[in-house]
Amino acid sequence: MSLDERLARVRDRIAAAESAAGRPTGSVRLLLATKTQDAAAVRAALLADAAATTDETVPPVLLGENRVQELVAKAPELTDLRPELHLIGPLQSNKVNAALRWADCVQSVDSAELAERLHRRCAVLDRTLDVFVQVNVSGEPTKSGVAPRDTLALAETVRSLDRLRLRGLMTIGANSTDQALVRSGFARLRELGERLGTMELSMGMSRDLEAAVAEGATIVRVGTAVFGTRG
Ligand SMILES: *Cc1c(COP(=O)(O)O)cnc(C)c1O
C-alpha cells in the first residue's frame, strides 16, 4: 500500500468511528506520530494529507514527536508547510529550552516540576504554550504519566500557571488485546476530563483508535498505520 492509501485508510477508520459514536465528521483530529521517520517522509505525509483533505470539514493533520532530538532535527525542514508540532514523549528538564524552540504544544506534562519549568521558560520567551496533562490510565509501570488520582491536582497546578494553556488530557492505552480493558482506560480519561470541564482528549493509536473515538477522543495519534512498521 502507498502512503496515500494508508492515510486514506486511517481517515476512513476515523470517519467510521465518528459515525458509529454519533459524532460529527471532523470532530477528531489526526496527529501523525512521526518517530523514526525522517523529514522527507514527514513532508511526504503532510503533502499527501493536504492533497487528500480538500474537504473543509476535515482539519489538517498535526505532527507529534516523541524525542526533542528528533523534533529539533526535523522541524526546521518543515517550516514552509507550517505544521502544528506537538511533543508527545517524555520531556527531561535539560531539554525544555530546545523543545520550546519548536513545539506548539507539549502533551506529556506529568509533573508540577515540569509544568513550572515550562511556565518559567515561556515567561522568558514572552509566549504561551498549549499543554496536555499525560495520565497513566493503565497503571503499567513502563508508562509515563501522572496517576489518575493525582490528575485533577496537577491540572489545577497547570491552570495556575498563566503561561500555560491546559488544552486537555493525554494517555497511552493499555498494552493489551483485551478491547474492553483498553476502552475502560479511555473511559477513565474521559471522566477525568469531564471533571475538569470540557477538555480535549488525546488518546488512541493505530491499534486502538476506534475504542478511543468511541470514548470521546478529540485527537488520535497514529504512526505505524500511516508510515508502516518501524524498523
Ligand atoms: C508511537 C506513538 C504513537 C503512535 O503509535 P502507533 O502504534 O505507531 O500508531 C502514539 N502516541 C505515542 C505517545 C507514541 O509514542
Side-chain angles (χ1 to χ4, degrees):
M1 243 194 290
S2 69
L3 174 67
D4 285 14
E5 288 165 331
R6 288 193 302 262
L7 199 50
R9 192 166 283 204
V10 169
R11 288 283 192 199
D12 287 347
R13 283 176 62 191
I14 292 170
E18 285 170 334
S19 153
R23 300 179 53 190
T25 309
S27 53
V28 179
R29 292 286 300 259
L30 171 59
L31 176 146
L32 299 181
T34 52
K35 58 177 174 271
T36 77
Q37 303 301 325
D38 63 17
V42 180
R43 169 174 292 276
L46 285 171
L47 293 174
D49 177 66
T53 54
T54 46
D55 176 355
E56 278 173 13
T57 58
V58 180
V61 286
L62 309 168
L63 294 185
E65 281 294 346
N66 282 71
R67 298 175 63 214
V68 174
Q69 211 174 316
E70 283 194 61
L71 176 71
V72 301
K74 289 174 230 177
E77 298 190 45
L78 302 168
T79 49
D80 59 312
L81 300 176
R82 302 179 185 284
E84 185 176 320
L85 296 169
H86 291 215
L87 186 70
I88 60 173
L91 178 54
Q92 277 139 22
S93 51
N94 63 345
K95 299 271 172 62
V96 161
N97 294 4
L100 286 183
R101 269 199 284 284
W102 296 104
D104 298 299
C105 176
V106 173
Q107 292 202 8
S108 46
V109 173
D110 62 357
S111 72
E113 294 71 37
L114 176 57
E116 279 153 13
R117 201 174 280 268
L118 287 165
H119 166 78
R120 284 197 301 273
R121 184 62 188 166
C122 283
V124 170
L125 299 171
D126 193 20
R127 64 169 283 190
T128 56
L129 178 72
D130 285 357
V131 300
F132 286 67
V133 166
Q134 182 174 353
V135 185
N136 184 355
V137 292
S138 69
E140 290 166 21
T142 53
K143 288 212 167 84
S144 319
V146 68
R149 67 175 174 280
D150 298 327
T151 300
L152 301 182
L154 178 54
E156 288 317 315
T157 299
V158 170
R159 280 182 165 157
S160 74
L161 300 168
D162 62 8
R163 296 288 174 166
L164 303 185
R165 195 170 76 93
L166 181 66
R167 267 174 66 171
L169 303 177
M170 181 271 237
T171 198
I172 299 171
N175 189 8
S176 168
T177 53
D178 179 348
Q179 281 297 306
L181 177 73
V182 172
R183 185 162 167 175
S184 72
F186 294 148
R188 190 82 201 272
L189 198 74
R190 175 176 47 72
E191 288 156 15
L192 290 167
E194 284 164 359
R195 290 178 63 182
L196 288 163
T198 314
M199 290 271 96
E200 286 191 58
L201 300 174
S202 173
M203 58 188 191
M205 321 199 298
S206 295
R207 64 164 185 253
D208 56 17
L209 72 85
E210 283 82 3
V213 171
E215 290 297 343
T218 60
I219 297 178
V220 293
R221 308 179 309 270
V222 177
T224 48
V226 169
F227 294 107
T229 313
R230 284 180 290 273

